Amino acid sequence: MAKDLRINSNAFDGTMRSPNRAMLRAVGFTDEDFKKPMVGIASTWSEVTPCNVHIHDLAERAKEGAREAGGAPMIFNTITVSDGISMGTEGMRYSLPSRDLIADSIETVVGAESLDALVAIGGCDKNMPGCMIAIANSEVPSVFVYGGTIRPGKLDGEDIDLVSVFEGVGQHNQGDIDDKQLNRIECHACPGAGSCGGMYTANTMASAIEAMGMSLPGNAAKPATSEEKAKECEEAGRAVYHLLEKDIYPKDIMTKEAFENAITVVMALGGSTNAILHLLSMAHAIDVDLTIDDFNRVQKKVPHIADLKPSGKYVMEDLYKAGGVQAVMKLLYENGYLNGDCLTVTGKTLAENLKDAPDLVEGQKVITSLDEPKRKDGPLIVLKGNLSPTGAVAKLSGVKVTHHEGPARVFNTEREATEAVLNDEIKEGDVLIIRYVGPKGGPGMPEMLSISSILVGKGLGESVALLTDGRFSGGTHGLVVGHITPEAQSGGPIALLKEGDIVTIDADKQEISVAVSDEELAKRRGSWEAPPLYSKGVLGKYAHNVSCASLGAVTDRFDER
C-alpha cells in the first residue's frame, strides 16, 4: 500500500467532513484527489507591475508539475505592490508592510485550507521575503520560485534599466539632458515582464534564497520570459511532491548555516541593503538565531566579485549567460566560502547540487577572479556609534569614499529634502538627513531611490552623504546609510540631530557618529517629544506592531517593538 503523504488534508476524511468535500468537488476535486496531498500554488500574479504580470502562466506550469507528480494542486493568489511605481510618493509607505501582508495571506490560506505542501512564486521585491516568511510559518514542505528578471532595455546600443530613468531625472534637473532624451530613456527602460534587472532587491533575494537551498538550482538567474523559467516551475511542482515523500520541511533546510550561505552570496554579488532586513525577518520566522552582527562577521571574509548594476556594468541576464548564480556558488564553494553540507529542496546537499553545476563561462566579464575582486571584503557594512547604537547599513559597492565628515542638513520628510536638492541648496560635503521615515515613523520605512538617484544624476553621489532611518532601494548607489536605529520615531539619536551638527561616517572603522556630547544629547532628549503614531488602517496597524529595523522590522516580535 502506498504511503499516505497527506499532512493536513486528511482532516477532510470521514462522514463528518462530507460538506467540506462537497465544496472542494465544486472546484474540480474527485474521489481520487481526496487521497492525494493537497499542494497550494501561491501566485503573486498581478497587472500592477511588470515584475508579476506573467506569473499566472508560471503558476499554471507549477500546477501541472505538481499534478503529474501525484498531488492535488490548487492555485491561489496574494497581493503585490511595485516599489518602482510607488517610489518617491506616499504610496512607498505601503511597500515594506506588503511583505507581511503577503506572508500572512499565504500562511492563512495554507492553514485554513489544510494544505499539505506549498509552491510560492514571487516577482517584485517584497514577494520573496513575504513568501519565505509564509513558508517558515506554514511549516509544510515548500519550494520557492522566483518569477525572474526583466531583460535590459536598449537605447542607442547601450543597456538601460529603471534606475537609468531615476538617474535621468537628476541629469535633467542638472541640465545635462533635455525633455526629449529623458522621455526616450523612460520609453526604452522596461521592455516587458520581469523584475528590475540589476543586482537590486528582487535579484538579490532570489540569489539569497537559491543559496539557502529553498529554490531549485539555477532559479535566481533565469529570465522571466524564458522557456527555462516556465520549465523550472513544472520542476518545482514535482520537487515539492518529492519533499513530501522524503519528509523534508523548511526547518530542515533553513538553518543558521544556510542563512550564512545566503549572506555570503549576497556579499559576493554586491546585493541590496534590503537583504539584511529581509534575511533577519526570515530567520525570525524559522526560529534561527541570526543577528545584525552576523552580517559583519561574514562581510569581513567574503570578497565582492560581481560587476553588476547599480554600481557596476552588467545586469542579471548577463550573469545568466555567464553561468548564473549556480556558477558563482560553485566558485565560492570550491574556495571554501560556502557550507556544502546544507540540505536543499532537491533533497540533496548544496555540495551535491554544485557537483554537476556549470562553471563560469570562459571569458565572461561579469564575475571577477577571487584574486582580483572589486573589493576584498563585502560591500554591505553595518555601522554603529552614538548616532546609531543598534546599527545602520551602508552599501559601499563602487564607492571610493570610505570616510565622510560634514554638517547635518536635517529634514523630517523626503519631499522637503528632495526640494532642497533640486533647488541646489545641498552642497558638496553636506550630510543630508531624512528622519521620521523608519518602520514606525514612516510608517512603513519607505525607500529613497528617487532622491539618491537625483544626487547621483547631479554628480553629488559621493560628495554628499545621505543618511536616513528609512531604507534604500537595491538600485541605490552612492554614499548612503540607511536603517539607522533606533529610528527617530522611537527617540533614537537621529531624532536629536540639529542643523549643522558635524556627522562622521567611517566605513573602515564601521562607525557612524555625531560630534555632540552625551550630556548635550541627554539635554536635547529632555525636550524631545515623539510625534503621534499613525493610527488608521493597515499603516496604523503596522506602526503599532512593527519591531526595530535592526531586528528585521517584523510584526510578530512581541518582546520588542
Side-chain angles (χ1 to χ4, degrees):
M1 183 177 177
K3 178 184 176 183
D4 186 353
L5 298 181
R6 297 176 300 166
I7 298 170
N8 299 316
S9 64
N10 50 19
F12 300 124
D13 291 349
T15 56
M16 288 292 294
R17 295 293 175 258
S18 185
N20 312 63
R21 294 194 298 274
M23 296 278 289
L24 286 166
R25 290 182 190 278
V27 300
F29 269 57
T30 65
D31 287 344
E32 284 303 309
D33 289 324
F34 289 115
K35 301 173 186 176
K36 301 174 182 177
M38 292 170 58
V39 179
I41 312 294
S43 167
T44 56
W45 171 82
S46 175
E47 291 183 334
V48 303
T49 171
C51 311
N52 297 64
V53 71
H54 63 304
I55 285 180
H56 180 72
D57 293 338
L58 298 183
E60 290 285 358
R61 296 289 288 264
K63 182 179 178 180
E64 289 175 21
R67 185 173 294 284
E68 289 171 4
M74 294 183 288
I75 297 174
F76 64 93
N77 280 83
T78 185
I79 67 158
T80 189
V81 298
S82 169
D83 289 9
I85 295 171
S86 63
M87 195 71 65
T89 74
E90 289 296 296
M92 190 66 224
R93 298 182 299 165
Y94 289 88
S95 170
L96 187 58
S98 78
R99 180 190 74 182
D100 296 78
L101 288 169
I102 291 165
D104 291 348
S105 64
I106 294 174
E107 179 195 347
T108 297
V109 174
V110 173
E113 297 284 327
S114 299
L115 301 181
D116 300 301
L118 175 65
V119 176
I121 309 173
C124 203
D125 294 8
K126 305 310 170 292
N127 295 179
M128 275 151 286
C131 287
M132 292 301 298
I133 293 168
I135 283 170
N137 287 329
S138 296
E139 299 180 333
V140 297
S142 303
V143 176
F144 174 77
V145 181
Y146 174 40
T149 182
I150 196 172
R151 298 186 186 277
K154 297 285 185 180
L155 183 62
D156 299 330
E158 298 290 329
D159 286 350
I160 64 171
D161 62 9
L162 183 63
V163 175
S164 307
V165 194
F166 279 105
E167 293 180 0
V169 173
Q171 295 165 347
H172 182 270
N173 176 259
Q174 194 72 1
D176 294 336
I177 61 174
D178 59 16
D179 291 353
K180 182 179 180 180
Q181 181 63 9
L182 180 59
N183 180 257
R184 291 183 73 225
I185 298 171
E186 173 188 333
C187 293
H188 288 82
C190 300
S195 300
C196 295
M199 190 46 61
Y200 310 145
T201 301
N203 284 323
T204 296
M205 293 311 301
S207 302
I209 294 166
E210 181 172 337
M212 190 180 294
M214 282 302 299
S215 58
L216 293 175
N219 167 76
K222 293 186 180 79
T225 55
S226 66
E227 179 58 23
E228 289 81 5
K229 177 58 68 177
K231 289 178 179 177
E232 181 199 1
C233 289
E234 287 187 25
E235 293 171 8
R238 289 189 285 269
V240 80
Y241 187 86
H242 297 322
L243 291 177
L244 281 164
E245 291 179 316
K246 296 174 182 178
D247 204 32
I248 296 174
Y249 287 76
K251 63 181 175 57
D252 301 317
I253 299 172
M254 296 171 67
T255 63
K256 179 69 174 280
E257 292 77 16
F259 275 95
E260 290 175 346
N261 283 345
I263 296 169
T264 296
V265 169
V266 168
M267 292 293 179
L269 293 176
S272 166
T273 53
N274 283 312
I276 295 180
L277 195 70
H278 296 326
L279 287 170
L280 286 170
S281 69
M282 290 157 53
H284 169 73
I286 204 73
D287 292 325
V288 164
D289 182 20
L290 188 73
T291 72
I292 198 167
D293 295 322
D294 287 313
F295 289 83
N296 263 357
R297 176 171 54 81
V298 176
Q299 178 268 335
K300 288 179 172 64
K301 63 181 183 180
V302 178
H304 176 206
I305 56 173
D307 189 15
L308 290 164
K309 289 177 178 288
S311 59
K313 178 179 180 180
Y314 299 101
V315 295
M316 194 64 159
E317 187 174 38
D318 297 316
L319 179 57
Y320 173 64
K321 294 174 181 176
V325 175
Q326 275 285 290
V328 177
M329 289 169 59
K330 186 175 184 179
L331 175 68
L332 293 171
Y333 170 67
E334 290 176 344
N335 286 273
Y337 290 102
L338 294 176
N339 186 327
D341 295 331
C342 294
L343 188 63
T344 74
V345 293
T346 65
K348 300 177 181 179
T349 65
L350 184 70
E352 290 172 322
N353 290 343
L354 292 176
K355 183 179 179 181
D356 299 322
D359 292 316
L360 287 165
V361 173
E362 188 174 351
Q364 61 79 33
K365 298 180 180 179
V366 183
I367 303 297
T368 72
S369 71
L370 291 168
D371 294 332
E372 297 181 347
K374 292 176 70 66
R375 279 181 60 99
K376 61 181 176 56
D377 53 9
L380 300 186
I381 298 176
V382 175
L383 309 173
K384 291 186 178 181
N386 72 341
L387 184 53
S388 184
T390 51
V393 180
K395 181 177 179 179
L396 296 179
S397 55
V399 178
K400 298 181 179 67
V401 178
T402 59
H403 185 278
H404 184 96
E405 182 176 299
R409 304 297 311 279
V410 183
F411 299 90
N412 292 342
T413 69
E414 182 184 3
R415 179 183 57 79
E416 293 170 321
T418 301
E419 287 177 1
V421 172
L422 292 175
N423 292 332
D424 297 322
E425 297 169 16
I426 304 301
K427 307 298 182 183
E428 290 187 5
D430 284 348
V431 179
L432 182 59
I433 307 290
I434 304 176
R435 63 187 179 187
Y436 294 105
V437 289
K440 292 179 180 292
M445 204 179 181
E447 291 181 347
M448 306 288 161
L449 175 60
S450 181
I451 187 169
S452 65
S453 297
I454 291 170
L455 285 170
V456 170
K458 288 175 71 68
L460 299 173
E462 292 194 14
S463 59
V464 170
L466 174 56
L467 276 59
T468 180
D469 52 5
R471 297 182 296 126
F472 290 108
S473 163
T476 293
H477 63 110
L479 187 55
V480 298
V481 181
H483 307 204
I484 291 179
T485 61
E487 64 173 291
Q489 182 69 44
S490 297
I494 190 173
L496 310 178
L497 284 180
K498 291 185 177 180
E499 188 82 5
D501 286 344
I502 301 301
V503 173
T504 300
I505 303 111
D506 192 320
D508 294 329
K509 294 181 179 179
Q510 297 184 330
E511 293 179 357
I512 182 168
S513 60
V514 57
V516 176
S517 68
D518 292 344
E519 292 77 16
E520 174 62 18
L521 287 174
K523 180 180 176 182
R524 294 182 186 182
R525 185 176 302 284
S527 59
W528 174 83
E529 291 185 9
L533 269 182
Y534 199 90
S535 59
K536 183 178 180 181
V538 65
L539 292 180
K541 287 183 245 185
Y542 188 80
H544 282 79
N545 285 281
V546 69
S547 76
C548 180
S550 64
L551 299 173
V554 298
T555 53
D556 61 348
R557 183 162 185 153
F558 304 115
D559 60 325
E560 198 285 349
R561 292 186 183 178

